[in-house]
Amino acid sequence: MIFDYETLKIIWWAFVGVLIIGFALTDGFDFGVGMMLPFVGKTDAERRVLINSIGPTWEGNQTWFITAGGATFAAWPLVYATAFSGFYIALMVLLFSLFFRPVGFDYRSKVADPRWRNAWDWGLFVGGIVPPLICGVAFGNLLLGVPFHYDDTMRVEYTGNFFQLLNPFGLLAGLLSVAMLLTHGATFAMVKTEAEIAARVRKIAIYASLATLALFVIGGYWVARGIDGYSITSMPSANSAFMPLAKTVEITSGAWMDNYERWPETKAIPIAAIVALLLVAAFGAWRKARLAFICSGIAVAGIILTAATAMFPFIMPSSLDPRSSLTVWDAVSSQKTLGIMFWLVLFFLPLIILYTAWVYRVMRGKVTLKHIADNEHTAY
């Protein structure tokens, strides 16, 4: 094996991060467009413009979500098992809201009745806003610590409930996620539309980026000053296989900022996110759609990496028993499993990226009202 076990653990943390960011960057603007659909589109034709801007590619964007879930199952089986049992209701709400998307895209244009189409437009709105909200709330609760623990036989017990997830910080993180992807969707719609529709989404992009910035700064201050973080005080060698209870963990004030003090260069990540959000607002005001979209993507990646950097090496901290917290070092599969999957990812991930880039190149260009009028029987 070319890499030792410790290196493979870090590589897989990075791989899963790439998949999550890829999902947020691609499917994220689909969610954003869905959120805007009932409000930006004043007529059926305008709504069809927005739907057709994401219609040809949204399904392919789901690949990142599915792959991220599969990678979590394969690389971090303890995280997969604990998260899917602890966040079961939240995940079911997320999945059922996602059902509105394929059904809405496929059935909306089957009947010309305005009531039928309006109902599906609101269904696409639900499918656009609920998943980011749920994901943001879940991520916020990871920073707070999740109420689970392992017993001596390594059986996991989750003592929380769905409504406990809806705490003030969790809701703030959920709103940040919604505002972030609304910004991303609005900048994408700026690129893909024109005239009055582009003018409306441009205003949304400006205000949503400023709202995202405010929520991000408030959340960062809250984490630094008001939320206790986790740190490992002792554990077996990171190059060995061990179970979570073999380590000791302490909870201390400001511990989530330790990595930024240990590696000062990582402070560039939240700074980049803040600057990118300001540039989204500026480029929106200056009608520079492509630059606004690029900066929006940088902001999305920066916000996710800011939280991931703060938490490293923790993946799913436990508020009941800090020793039970799942980390990069103890929640992973065997060295052989990680090694085999490493080569598979190294082969398939570039193919996915290249194919995605090719699809967007083929589908480039604006969707206009004239295009909709000339293609009355398009799929969307």
Side-chain angles (χ1 to χ4, degrees):
M1 174 58 61
I2 190 172
F3 299 114
D4 60 23
Y5 200 13
E6 180 180 1
T7 303
L8 280 171
K9 292 176 181 179
I10 296 174
I11 287 172
W12 271 95
W13 177 82
F15 274 160
V16 174
V18 167
L19 292 172
I20 293 173
I21 291 173
F23 168 61
L25 289 176
T26 55
D27 218 23
F29 59 71
D30 294 341
F31 290 136
V33 172
M35 292 181 216
M36 299 185 298
L37 184 61
F39 309 103
V40 172
K42 303 300 183 182
T43 64
D44 180 66
E46 289 184 347
R47 292 183 181 186
R48 288 186 64 201
V49 167
L50 290 169
I51 292 173
N52 276 271
S53 71
I54 59 174
T57 55
W58 78 269
E59 228 167 355
N61 295 339
Q62 295 281 99
T63 303
W64 294 94
F65 178 63
I66 297 167
T67 307
T72 302
F73 172 76
W76 297 338
L78 291 181
V79 174
Y80 186 91
T82 305
F84 273 72
S85 58
F87 295 153
Y88 186 80
I89 295 177
L91 288 169
M92 287 298 102
V93 172
L94 185 152
L95 289 174
F96 277 100
S97 67
L98 285 174
F99 293 163
F100 283 105
R101 284 151 56 81
V103 180
F105 283 125
D106 286 343
Y107 288 114
R108 182 191 184 278
S109 294
K110 301 299 183 185
V111 178
D113 189 332
R115 293 172 298 178
W116 170 270
R117 293 189 172 184
N118 188 59
W120 286 117
D121 290 340
W122 282 103
L124 291 171
F125 167 79
V126 171
I129 196 170
V130 172
L133 180 63
I134 293 292
C135 290
V137 167
F139 215 108
N141 278 272
L142 290 181
L143 287 162
L144 293 172
V146 182
F148 75 94
H149 69 92
Y150 287 96
D151 62 21
D152 293 337
T153 62
M154 285 305 296
R155 290 185 299 179
V156 67
E157 180 181 2
Y158 179 82
T159 61
N161 60 59
F162 174 76
F163 294 102
Q164 287 178 334
L165 298 175
L166 305 178
N167 53 74
F169 182 77
L171 291 173
L172 182 139
L175 291 175
L176 171 59
S177 177
V178 169
M180 176 181 75
L181 296 187
L182 177 59
T183 302
H184 201 43
T187 56
F188 178 77
M190 284 173 61
V191 175
K192 296 291 290 184
T193 62
E194 61 180 18
E196 292 183 1
I197 302 175
R200 293 182 203 132
V201 296
R202 181 173 62 84
K203 292 180 180 178
I204 291 175
I206 294 171
Y207 291 124
S209 63
L210 295 177
T212 304
L213 175 60
L215 291 168
F216 181 55
V217 172
I218 292 170
Y221 184 83
W222 198 337
V223 170
R225 302 297 182 184
I227 294 177
D228 293 337
Y230 292 67
S231 58
I232 298 174
T233 55
S234 67
M235 70 176 193
S237 170
N239 202 36
S240 64
F242 60 94
M243 300 306 288
L245 296 179
K247 67 181 181 299
T248 57
V249 175
E250 68 176 8
I251 302 176
T252 56
S253 177
W256 287 140
M257 297 294 107
D258 287 351
N259 286 337
Y260 290 104
E261 297 300 324
R262 188 176 295 114
W263 300 296
E265 60 274 12
T266 57
K267 294 178 182 178
I269 298 172
I271 292 172
I274 291 171
V275 172
L277 288 168
L278 290 172
L279 288 174
V280 170
F283 286 132
W286 298 333
R287 293 175 170 79
K288 303 292 185 182
R290 293 187 183 277
L291 291 174
F293 179 63
I294 292 170
C295 289
S296 173
I298 294 171
V300 169
I303 290 170
I304 295 172
L305 285 173
T306 296
T309 302
M311 288 185 63
F312 182 86
F314 289 89
I315 304 169
M316 195 171 181
S318 169
S319 60
L320 292 183
D321 177 18
R323 292 186 312 150
S324 296
S325 299
L326 301 177
T327 72
V328 170
W329 312 125
D330 53 34
V332 297
S333 296
S334 68
Q335 182 176 4
K336 185 174 183 179
T337 300
L338 296 182
I340 293 173
M341 292 193 303
F342 168 79
W343 295 109
L344 292 174
V345 170
L346 207 62
F347 177 76
F348 285 108
L349 186 59
L351 288 181
I352 294 173
I353 294 172
L354 288 172
Y355 174 74
T356 301
W358 176 78
V359 168
Y360 279 100
R361 177 172 174 77
V362 171
M363 298 296 175
R364 69 187 184 280
K366 294 184 180 291
V367 181
T368 65
L369 288 171
K370 183 178 185 304
H371 170 81
I372 296 299
D374 293 342
N375 297 271
E376 181 62 30
H377 299 291
T378 56
Y380 305 106

